[in-house]
Amino acid sequence: MRKTAVADVRVAPGVGRIFVNDRPFDEALPSLSVRLHVLKPLLATDALGRFDVVARADGGGPSAQAQAVQHGLAKALLLQLGSAARARLGDMVLHDARRVERKKPGRRKARTGFAYVRR
């Protein structure tokens, strides 16, 4: 999970349906590269058709929401499948604490200064 999105993910034994924000995940996350974030924990643990996933994501954009769902799904699968799945899930269960740095006064962005005007 990173940026400002948060996700509440519920996993139950089922046929492999995935819903994000009460919609099928291919409608909720239109980009293929973003959808791969959600599928990554299921593919890593060979659990693609074994569980139904219901996720509610809030905040951020589509990419951040998909990463938040990926993080929550990895942690949920870890509880369902036990510690044997930890090695296969790898970095997906770790929290990414990076945030956008705030803009400082007297600067154009967080670290970039204004262009020096010579005349």
Side-chain angles (χ1 to χ4, degrees):
M1 178 171 69
R2 86 173 260 253
K3 304 186 180 180
T4 56
V6 291
D8 177 35
V9 181
R10 296 170 195 271
V11 176
V15 295
R17 290 187 293 254
I18 303 172
F19 288 93
V20 177
N21 294 337
D22 299 325
R23 297 186 299 181
F25 94 115
D26 53 334
E27 288 179 20
L29 304 170
S31 172
L32 180 63
S33 61
V34 171
R35 272 187 249 152
L36 287 176
H37 282 294
V38 177
L39 293 176
K40 195 172 174 187
L42 294 167
L43 293 172
T45 56
D46 295 325
L48 191 53
R50 295 169 34 200
F51 294 102
D52 287 343
V53 179
V54 177
R56 292 195 68 83
D58 188 39
S63 177
Q65 286 186 359
Q67 290 175 22
V69 171
Q70 174 189 9
H71 179 69
L73 182 56
K75 290 185 102 167
L77 287 174
L78 196 62
L79 292 173
Q80 288 279 343
L81 301 174
S83 60
R86 179 174 288 283
R88 287 181 278 167
L89 290 171
D91 291 342
M92 288 182 262
V93 293
L94 298 177
H95 174 70
D96 188 354
R98 293 178 293 172
R99 296 289 181 261
V100 176
E101 191 173 343
R102 77 174 196 88
K103 183 197 173 299
K104 315 294 188 310
R107 298 210 163 256
R108 194 166 62 88
K109 294 170 76 176
R111 297 190 181 200
T112 309
F114 293 105
Y116 179 69
V117 179
R118 284 156 185 80
R119 293 188 188 179

